[in-house]
Amino acid sequence: MSVLVDKNTRLLVQGITGSAGAFHTRQCIEYGTNVVAGVTPGKGGQMFDDKIPVFDTVWEAKQKTNCNVSMIFVPAAFAADSILEAVDADLDLVVCITEGIPVMDMMRVKAQTRGKRTRLIGPNCPGIITPGACKIGIMPGYIHKEGKVGVISRSGTLTYEAVWQLTSRGYGQSTCIGIGGDPIGGLSHLDAVKLFDDDKNTDAMILIGEIGGSAEEEAAAWIKANCKKPVAAFIAGMTAPPGRRMGHAGAIVSGGKGTAAGKIEALKAAGIAVAETPATIADTLIARLKNN
Amino acid sequence: MNIHEYQAKELLEKFGVATTRGKVASTADEAEAIARELGDVDLATGRVRPNVGLVVKAQIHAGGRGKGTFKDGFKGGVQVVKSPENVREVADKMLGQTLVTHQTGAAGRVVHKVLVGESAEIAREIYFAILLDRAIAAPLIVASTEGGVEIETVAAKSPDKIIREPIDPLAGLQPFQTRKLAKQLGFEQSQTKAATKLFDGLYRTFIGCDCSMVEINPLVVTKKNEVLALDAKFNFDDNALYRHPEIAAMRDVAEEDPREVEASKHGLNYIGLDGNIACLVNGAGLAMATMDIIKFYGGSPANFLDVGGGATEEQVTEAFKILIADKNVKAILVNIFGGIMKVDVIAQGIINAAKTVKLSVPVVVRLEGTNVEKGKQLLKKSGVELIPADDLADAAQKAVAAANPKNQKPNPK
């Protein structure tokens, strides 16, 4: 078992004919993901790599292929509309990889999709992977290994770092979710923690956060009250100067809020093992597992 | 991106937000002409009428202008004066001179423009801001009757004096909300119309310019019963600048760290810091974490640099040039976890950089991920002198040691 995606996932790629979309679609197929359709407005009727039908609309793709998850590689200016289109087609999950979507666009997407059953991961995220079963996103597949640790993160390469540490030490992952680095997005740390808590095949979790917002604190409070599984965490941005946006649109300490120190304190108070450096994320979890 | 006070004023005026009258000048002649246009000057005497003053404000991106000193000894980047002739004199003393404030550092900033305006006689000061609140994914108005001071101070001392009004992102700011705010902020009935009009204009500015924050501190009631935005601070969403070319054009690169300006030309995400270990990393999270681990092992990062997910060899070469040009830098730490970005591309970028710029400081390289073996071989074959590292901890310790050759053993904090 795993969360959100597995062998049965039928993937649609919005923006499949663009260069990034095409490249990563091929990488996902190579990993074993079942890609059943693509959407690029104006290119309906074509075949991608002679095997995947391309449609003009998500509505049509759903009708013809029964796809249930979408991966979005549409340029930032049009990506919000693509998310809404996927939600309108009542898919189970939308994974938006696109970086640079205006925050106001995401604010409206969030308001317009309230109450809908479709889940959103991202935007500005590496995607989601259930090792050995389904890769939806831009992460390198080979660093992952099937196993029982759930990984949740706002960052891409920092997640790879943690996953690689786990894999190198023989610990596999149930599912790894990159929720993205934007100030307004879909799935939160807390949503992901709840999914892993309910998943029978996840025994422990790694939670990777960074400066900005209060999503890590919210997850910590819930974990303290409800979660029995061991959790290790790392927060990036101890040395980030206040008021500066550190790459990710959401990674900013403003008005003294969203500091790494504050988040680490909240996590520790919730009984979560916090890694002192990014080099010891896996070891921190393993030590916690051995103590239990 | 930051903008000048006069540009903020222009934006507010465009959306019908009342501000004090005034205009920007680049020369002393222009400054005097603006002062005359402002009107309340007694034509017979050439003096400004009683109760009205003129103000000349140096336009730089740093705070603390009023208490700042020019390098030639002239005191005060904000001056209240009596007549258009005085405006001319003061503008002449400011333009082309370097103003040093507590925010500029010792180097100061050259004043290229001054804002000439009427100085409002303030009866009451209010704090009013609209920000995009990530927790509720909606705009939020934060206001207080305690204007003119830092809102963080008010929040700490008297949290009950802070008003919060969330706005429905789809419906927008409603008229009843502006009336409620006017009441909560203690506006008199005779001022309500002006206040609600100002709130509405600010909301339209916030949405229309894709702001992440507009802060008016203070919003004032004058002795003439006017309601005016006296000072404005804007934060824009960089992701949305593509649809606001007029705002993007307001960028003043003379006000920015030259290292950051150079980096942005090459599409690199760079933030200058004051340490001596430069970092070159792919991915924002890993870049932050790399700075953190340098600090953990007793070093000090010179910068944040995310070369992004799709960097080219050229970008990596340019990144190296920027890092090497920083005189404080004593060592460089390259930390790459190849995902989308292939490790051999980074390796080739390092080799190219070594050919075009002299690598005058030790370079510690940690590579992992897609095509890592290919990348390592490229570096080995190239003959470029580098310090290879096995993992992140090893890399950070080697970089700290390389930057402090006397300290053989770096001490964890």
Side-chain angles (χ1 to χ4, degrees):
Chain A
M1 251 183 73
S2 55
V3 305
L4 298 171
V5 299
D6 55 27
K7 278 269 180 233
N8 301 318
T9 297
R10 296 174 61 79
L11 187 67
L12 157 77
V13 182
Q14 289 173 263
I16 193 168
T17 54
S19 68
F23 175 79
H24 289 291
T25 299
R26 290 185 191 114
Q27 299 281 311
C28 291
I29 292 169
E30 198 176 296
Y31 192 79
T33 307
N34 184 21
V35 181
V36 297
V39 164
T40 300
K43 297 202 173 167
Q46 297 182 4
M47 291 298 271
F48 175 79
D49 283 0
D50 299 325
K51 56 189 170 195
I52 295 161
V54 179
F55 300 92
D56 286 318
T57 62
V58 177
W59 173 76
E60 199 185 358
K62 170 85 186 287
Q63 301 258 311
K64 301 271 170 66
T65 68
N66 200 26
C67 53
N68 70 328
V69 175
S70 172
M71 169 167 79
I72 297 179
F73 275 99
V74 172
F78 315 105
D81 183 60
S82 296
I83 297 172
L84 291 174
E85 186 181 5
V87 174
D88 175 71
D90 199 33
L91 302 186
D92 296 336
L93 176 69
V94 180
V95 181
C96 185
I97 309 298
T98 305
E99 179 180 358
I101 302 178
V103 187
M104 292 237 182
D105 291 8
M106 282 313 301
M107 173 183 88
R108 292 186 189 106
V109 165
K110 194 102 176 163
Q112 280 174 272
T113 56
R114 206 155 274 153
K116 299 281 167 68
R117 74 175 192 95
T118 308
R119 287 180 187 274
L120 170 67
I121 294 179
N124 189 15
C125 76
I128 175 169
I129 182 169
T130 293
C134 182
K135 165 178 132 90
I136 300 175
I138 58 178
M139 64 292 276
Y142 75 92
I143 61 170
H144 301 83
K145 173 183 156 75
E146 286 172 60
K148 300 206 159 193
V149 180
V151 179
I152 309 154
S153 171
R154 291 221 295 235
S155 152
T157 46
L158 185 54
T159 316
Y160 311 162
E161 178 73 45
V163 166
W164 184 239
Q165 287 173 19
L166 283 170
T167 299
S168 310
R169 288 158 178 76
Y171 288 77
Q173 306 89 41
S174 53
T175 299
C176 305
I177 310 175
I179 58 174
D182 276 2
I184 297 179
L187 206 75
S188 67
H189 274 109
L190 176 54
D191 297 331
V193 166
K194 286 179 180 171
L195 288 171
F196 281 125
D197 195 50
D198 286 341
D199 178 38
K200 287 197 189 88
N201 215 32
T202 299
D203 289 348
M205 283 176 241
I206 285 184
L207 196 153
I208 300 170
E210 61 191 31
I211 53 165
S214 57
E216 292 85 353
E217 287 89 330
E218 283 154 24
W222 189 89
I223 288 169
K224 187 177 184 182
N226 303 289
C227 181
K228 298 274 183 297
K229 297 179 181 178
V231 182
F234 175 73
I235 302 291
M238 253 341 243
T239 49
R244 300 300 305 267
R245 166 178 142 160
M246 306 302 282
H248 289 155
I252 180 165
V253 172
S254 51
K257 297 225 177 79
T259 63
K263 287 175 190 292
I264 290 168
E265 202 179 304
L267 291 165
K268 283 186 174 165
I272 296 166
V274 181
E276 277 193 306
T277 81
T280 56
I281 299 172
D283 288 338
T284 304
L285 180 72
I286 294 165
R288 171 57 57 98
L289 287 171
K290 283 181 179 157
N291 276 343
N292 273 20
Chain B
M1 192 188 88
N2 288 317
I3 58 173
H4 286 293
E5 182 186 10
Y6 77 91
Q7 293 167 324
K9 195 170 152 57
E10 285 169 11
L11 279 180
L12 291 176
E13 282 165 0
K14 196 173 133 190
F15 287 91
V17 176
T19 64
T20 47
R21 294 185 307 149
K23 274 187 186 163
V24 70
S26 306
T27 66
D29 282 347
E30 277 175 29
E32 186 182 340
I34 292 164
R36 292 196 186 281
E37 267 175 42
L38 284 174
D40 279 334
V41 177
D42 190 322
L43 290 174
T45 62
R47 295 242 151 208
V48 176
R49 290 199 177 110
N51 295 332
V52 180
L54 288 162
V55 63
V56 183
K57 297 165 123 178
Q59 298 296 290
I60 58 169
H61 279 183
R65 291 172 299 171
K67 288 181 181 153
T69 304
F70 287 86
K71 281 200 166 164
D72 60 5
F74 183 60
K75 281 200 166 55
V78 176
Q79 303 262 347
V80 178
V81 294
K82 291 272 180 240
S83 72
E85 287 77 20
N86 292 152
V87 168
R88 181 194 187 85
E89 280 164 36
V90 170
D92 199 42
K93 283 181 183 161
M94 290 182 179
L95 287 164
Q97 298 301 318
T98 305
L99 178 60
V100 180
T101 81
H102 71 276
Q103 283 189 5
T104 62
R109 300 271 172 81
V110 180
V111 178
H112 295 291
K113 288 187 165 79
V114 293
L115 179 65
V116 182
E118 58 181 11
S119 92
E121 281 218 294
I122 299 167
R124 201 159 76 85
E125 292 184 305
I126 286 152
Y127 175 92
F128 195 97
I130 309 176
L131 52 94
L132 200 62
D133 187 56
R134 48 206 282 178
I136 58 169
L140 176 72
I141 289 175
V142 178
S144 172
T145 51
E146 310 297 295
V149 289
E150 298 245 335
I151 194 67
E152 286 83 9
T153 317
V154 182
K157 277 190 189 159
S158 36
D160 52 308
K161 293 221 164 128
I162 292 186
I163 297 161
R164 287 189 171 80
E165 185 71 22
I167 301 167
D168 184 303
L170 301 178
L173 181 65
Q174 301 300 302
F176 83 86
Q177 291 181 295
T178 61
R179 294 195 302 271
K180 184 169 90 177
L181 284 162
K183 186 61 77 180
Q184 289 171 330
L185 289 167
F187 284 95
E188 292 166 16
Q189 260 178 4
S190 64
Q191 300 157 350
T192 302
K193 204 174 167 194
T196 55
K197 182 168 182 271
L198 195 147
F199 301 158
D200 192 55
L202 276 178
Y203 182 70
R204 285 186 294 114
T205 312
F206 176 80
I207 296 291
C209 299
D210 267 293
C211 299
S212 48
M213 186 188 74
V214 181
E215 182 184 64
I216 307 296
N217 193 20
L219 190 164
V220 300
V221 179
T222 67
K223 288 187 178 162
K224 289 192 227 159
N225 219 26
E226 301 159 303
V227 181
L228 303 173
L230 208 62
D231 198 5
K233 192 178 163 206
F234 280 83
N235 283 344
F236 300 102
D237 174 12
D238 291 357
N239 288 351
L241 279 178
Y242 74 88
R243 57 189 178 200
H244 302 287
E246 76 292 352
I247 296 170
M250 289 180 171
R251 183 175 174 197
D252 184 352
V253 292
E255 293 281 344
E256 295 175 25
D257 182 331
R259 299 175 296 180
E260 292 177 15
V261 175
E262 185 62 26
S264 72
K265 276 188 207 158
H266 302 287
L268 298 164
N269 213 329
Y270 176 99
I271 293 172
L273 302 167
D274 48 16
N276 61 8
I277 300 175
C279 340
L280 187 158
V281 189
N282 67 325
L286 191 59
M288 270 188 276
T290 304
M291 288 161 43
D292 295 348
I293 198 169
I294 288 172
K295 182 90 174 178
F296 179 83
Y297 284 111
S300 174
N303 65 280
F304 166 93
L305 172 58
D306 169 15
V307 294
T312 60
E313 283 173 33
E314 291 75 32
Q315 278 177 303
V316 175
T317 307
E318 292 304 326
F320 257 98
K321 285 185 191 166
I322 294 163
L323 299 183
I324 297 264
D326 185 340
K327 293 281 173 283
N328 290 330
V329 168
K330 296 282 179 284
I332 296 176
L333 170 53
V334 178
N335 182 21
I336 298 296
F337 206 116
I340 330 170
M341 164 173 258
K342 295 181 187 71
V343 170
D344 52 321
V345 171
I346 293 276
Q348 194 58 51
I350 298 172
I351 295 164
N352 294 353
K355 281 178 190 158
T356 47
V357 286
K358 191 173 165 285
L359 294 184
S360 46
V361 296
V363 179
V364 179
V365 181
R366 184 273 176 135
L367 302 173
E368 199 59 74
T370 311
N371 291 358
V372 60
E373 286 313 319
K374 212 168 147 189
K376 283 183 177 170
Q377 273 177 8
L378 273 176
L379 287 183
K380 213 177 228 175
K381 270 195 232 155
S382 72
V384 177
E385 205 178 309
L386 302 164
I387 305 170
D390 296 329
D391 58 34
L392 189 44
D394 184 41
Q397 289 174 68
K398 280 176 173 161
V400 172
N404 308 286
K406 283 176 203 159
N407 254 351
Q408 282 305 312
K409 270 201 168 175
N411 300 318
K413 65 172 179 187

